[in-house]
């Protein structure tokens, strides 16, 4: 007898929907087919979509920057994630400058994450790395970490990693996750909130992105660029590196770069919207929407701070950077792109990041599922984040997430929450 039956869903597999029943056993998908099976508990999808659980490869829970800590810890962050259909997130380890520090930062972050209710993994993160990249990659692999984050900027906080180190990494068996902005073109001391966009220009982004792509082309390395902000950048990469895009070079963007424009910095509440890299003008949003085929994965860069913290200082250099969005991410992107967005939340990030048992409704995979009604209309309200404002509040969207199932556990069902423990996922 199966543990859970999720029946009468329009099941999304390989880009198509079929009317099927899914049964789980010991946290795994154990049957997908047309028959009705014996099981302990049944959820009826009532002909709504049944999708693989979503993956957010870019979040920052309990991120300490200066005097501030991001508003969501792993408990509240994973809860707001579950309400958004996110069943796996990838957060980051603290930056290290030598491979000897890896185990310590991994243990510390695992301890912080242990009460997360959804599954999780971590990218290793480098500061101004001075160690041995070969040893680092072996250590990461030993601990089930298949991606390393680097920054080409943030020299002011000693987090900038040299292009030489990045090139060494790309020659090895690991995915290089890059925050790409050319450091010499960034002004980290920028004070004017109204014109904050100018502190980190599109040119700063595209210059670093193209340099990294050139390294990836030369080394045949695997490169994943986080939070691309501008359609212009995406188009440049798509033109110059068409053959490598989706094979060796992957681009991530975030819902805010598709919805929010830099005009908002010029409002009374501009400070609430400050983040790095900044929002762009409306015309870039349009270009971004046109370039969706060249974007492989949607990360939220979820990193909100409380209103009082965002408004504490009135110069941009002192405002903590970051906004939330994990709970609304899928709905927002679904509203723009329909079913084409589903793989970018599921199978594609699973493949890029070695989440071997995630991203597809197939027997043997983790039983991570989302029931989604794409027809009902809603206004976005406050979320289950601890943060006291939502940058998307009031937006009218179509579609509602009805239920989230992780490892065969029903965690969210029609707005009700049932706590559980997530697992650290070792990646291949
Ligand atoms: Zn980030």
């Amino acid at each position: 007898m199966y543990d859970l039956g999720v029946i009468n869903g329009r099941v999304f597999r390989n880009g198509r929907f079929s009317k099927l029943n899914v049964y789980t056993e010991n946290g795994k998908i154990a049957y997908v087919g047309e028959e009705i099976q014996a099981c302990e508990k049944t959820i009826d999808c009532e002909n709504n979509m049944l999708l693989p659980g979503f993956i957010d490869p870019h979040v920052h829970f309990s991120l300490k920057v200066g005097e501030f800590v991001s508003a969501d810890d792993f408990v509240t962050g994973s809860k707001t994630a579950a309400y958004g259909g996110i069943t796996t997130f990838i957060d980051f380890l603290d930056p290290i400058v030598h491979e000897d520090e890896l185990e310590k930062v991994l243990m510390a972050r695992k301890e912080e994450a242990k009460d997360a209710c959804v599954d999780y993994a971590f990218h290793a993160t480098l500061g101004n790395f001075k160690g041995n990249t070969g040893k680092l990659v072996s250590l990461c692999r030993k601990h089930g970490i298949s991606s390393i984050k680097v920054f080409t900027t943030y020299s002011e906080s000693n987090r900038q990693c040299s292009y030489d180190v990045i090139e060494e990494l790309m020659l090895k068996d690991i995915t290089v996750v890059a925050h790409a902005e050319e450091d010499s073109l960034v002004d980290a001391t920028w004070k004017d909130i109204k014109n904050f966009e100018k502190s980190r220009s599109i040119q700063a982004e595209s210059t670093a992105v193209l340099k990294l792509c050139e390294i990836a082309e030369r080394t045949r390395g695997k490169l994943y660029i986080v939070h691309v902000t501008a359609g212009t950048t995406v188009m440049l990469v798509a033109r110059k590196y068409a053959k490598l895009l989706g094979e060796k070079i992957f681009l991530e963007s975030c819902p805010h770069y598709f919805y929010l424009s830099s005009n908002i910095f010029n409002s009374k509440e501009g400070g609430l919207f400050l983040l790095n890299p900044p929002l762009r003008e409306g015309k870039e949003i349009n270009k971004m929407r046109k370039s969706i085929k060249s974007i492989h994965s949607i990360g939220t860069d979820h990193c909100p701070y409380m209103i009082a913290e965002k408004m504490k200082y009135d110069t941009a250099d002192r405002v903590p950077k970051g906004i939330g969005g994990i709970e609304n991410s899928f709905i927002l992107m679904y509203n723009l792109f329909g079913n084409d967005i589903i793989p970018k939340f599921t199978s594609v990030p699973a493949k890029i990041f070695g989440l071997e048992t995630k991203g597809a409704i197939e027997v043997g995979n983790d039983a991570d599922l989302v029931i989604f009604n794409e027809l009902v209309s809603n206004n976005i309200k406050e979320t289950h984040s601890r943060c006291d404002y939502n940058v998307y509040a009031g937006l009218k969207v179509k579609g509602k997430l009805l239920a989230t199932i992780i490892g065969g556990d029903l965690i969210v069902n029609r707005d009700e929450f049932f706590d559980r423990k997530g697992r650290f996922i070792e990646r291949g």
Side-chain angles (χ1 to χ4, degrees):
M1 186 146 69
Y2 295 112
D3 299 331
L4 178 70
V6 189
I7 62 167
N8 298 323
R10 280 179 286 132
V11 177
F12 186 81
R13 290 169 105 193
N14 304 316
R16 289 188 300 123
F17 290 94
S18 329
K19 188 85 186 276
L20 295 168
N21 304 317
V22 175
Y23 290 88
T24 78
E25 195 169 23
N26 297 326
K28 301 279 182 191
I29 295 170
Y31 173 91
V32 184
E34 292 177 359
E35 307 297 321
I36 288 286
Q37 308 282 343
C39 62
E40 304 219 346
K41 200 175 150 190
T42 306
I43 303 168
D44 192 336
C45 298
E46 296 168 345
N47 205 34
N48 287 300
M49 288 184 182
L50 185 63
L51 309 175
F54 307 142
I55 296 161
D56 189 334
H58 189 163
V59 309
H60 299 281
F61 298 145
S62 289
L63 179 70
K64 298 157 212 77
V65 178
E67 67 185 283
F68 302 107
V69 183
S70 59
D72 281 311
D73 59 19
F74 284 87
V75 173
T76 62
S78 61
K79 184 175 177 181
T80 184
Y83 272 96
I86 308 286
T87 54
T88 308
F89 63 83
I90 313 181
D91 201 303
F92 297 81
L93 301 182
D94 286 344
I96 56 173
V97 296
H98 194 280
E99 66 273 12
D100 288 354
E101 300 164 66
L102 183 82
E103 283 172 346
K104 199 177 109 202
V105 294
L106 175 60
M107 274 186 14
R109 210 68 177 139
K110 273 187 175 172
E111 177 62 26
E112 281 184 291
K114 69 180 193 311
D115 293 325
C117 60
V118 318
D119 287 350
Y120 52 93
F122 300 106
H123 305 287
T125 306
L126 302 191
N128 182 9
F129 190 73
K130 304 284 188 209
N132 180 308
T133 51
K135 286 184 187 159
L136 171 70
V137 169
S138 315
L139 259 182
C140 284
R141 284 284 176 191
K142 180 181 146 197
H143 291 288
I145 293 174
S146 59
S147 50
I148 298 179
K149 166 95 175 279
V150 296
F151 301 92
T152 63
T153 185
Y154 293 136
S155 55
E156 74 283 0
S157 54
N158 203 31
R159 279 182 290 166
Q160 183 186 12
C161 186
S162 73
Y163 284 107
D164 290 342
V165 167
I166 294 172
E167 178 155 350
E168 279 183 36
L169 287 174
M170 279 206 218
L171 287 163
K172 300 182 171 74
D173 175 30
I174 201 97
T175 301
V176 174
V177 172
H179 173 130
E181 289 182 292
E182 191 63 12
D183 196 57
S184 61
L185 302 178
V186 163
D187 184 353
T189 65
W190 192 274
K191 292 197 166 48
D192 175 14
I193 291 175
K194 287 188 178 69
N195 292 297
F196 179 67
E197 191 206 338
K198 296 197 180 99
S199 68
R200 314 180 84 91
S201 66
I202 294 173
Q203 196 206 345
E205 173 176 89
S206 55
T207 302
V209 166
L210 291 175
K211 274 192 192 176
L212 292 168
C213 289
E214 188 274 320
I215 298 173
E217 182 181 44
R218 193 152 33 82
T219 57
R220 308 296 297 166
K222 196 168 156 194
L223 171 66
Y224 178 91
I225 296 173
V226 293
H227 56 44
V228 177
T229 64
T232 295
T233 305
V234 179
M235 286 174 172
L236 282 169
V237 176
R239 212 170 301 143
K240 206 160 175 204
Y241 295 97
K243 280 205 186 108
L244 294 179
L245 210 55
E247 296 293 325
K248 292 283 181 184
I249 297 173
F250 303 90
L251 303 182
E252 170 197 280
S253 190
C254 320
H256 40 267
Y257 300 122
F258 291 83
Y259 273 90
L260 306 173
S261 92
S262 52
N263 282 343
I264 209 151
F265 295 145
N266 203 357
S267 69
K268 221 174 72 208
E269 299 190 314
L272 293 181
F273 292 82
L274 285 203
L275 80 167
N276 282 337
L279 303 169
R280 304 300 180 191
E281 290 174 37
K283 64 173 193 233
E284 286 298 331
I285 294 180
N286 291 335
K287 279 193 196 177
M288 196 63 138
R289 291 180 176 191
K290 281 189 192 131
S291 307
I292 189 67
K293 280 204 165 66
S294 304
I295 290 164
H296 305 92
S297 158
I298 306 299
T300 54
D301 205 356
H302 183 90
C303 192
Y305 294 87
M306 306 300 273
I307 292 173
E309 295 173 320
K310 295 288 269 193
M311 301 303 257
K312 183 170 177 188
Y313 299 110
D314 52 14
T315 61
D317 54 335
R318 302 190 72 184
V319 176
K321 311 297 186 309
I323 58 174
I326 198 165
E327 190 165 330
N328 306 123
S329 174
F330 178 77
I331 292 275
L332 289 166
M333 299 307 284
Y334 188 85
N335 271 260
L336 293 178
F337 305 110
N339 297 337
D340 290 347
I341 208 68
I342 299 169
K344 299 181 200 296
F345 276 85
T346 56
S347 53
V348 179
K351 184 149 185 262
I352 296 171
F353 290 112
L355 292 161
E356 288 157 349
T357 57
K358 308 281 188 192
I361 302 178
E362 298 299 339
V363 170
N365 275 359
D366 295 347
D368 300 350
L369 303 162
V370 171
I371 305 175
F372 178 56
N373 178 336
E374 77 277 26
L375 300 173
V376 288
S377 292
N378 271 290
N379 283 321
I380 291 183
K381 300 188 197 73
E382 60 279 25
T383 64
H384 298 82
S385 164
R386 196 175 76 84
C387 185
D388 47 5
Y389 72 104
N390 178 5
V391 295
Y392 303 110
L395 216 67
K396 191 170 180 191
V397 288
K398 226 175 175 189
K400 184 169 170 49
L401 294 158
L402 302 178
T404 306
I405 295 159
I406 308 178
D409 299 332
L410 184 62
I411 176 165
V412 176
N413 191 20
R414 274 81 177 171
D415 293 327
E416 224 187 319
F417 178 74
F418 306 92
D419 203 9
R420 67 182 288 284
K421 279 235 159 104
R423 292 183 299 136
F424 171 73
I425 305 295
E426 297 207 351
R427 297 181 287 132

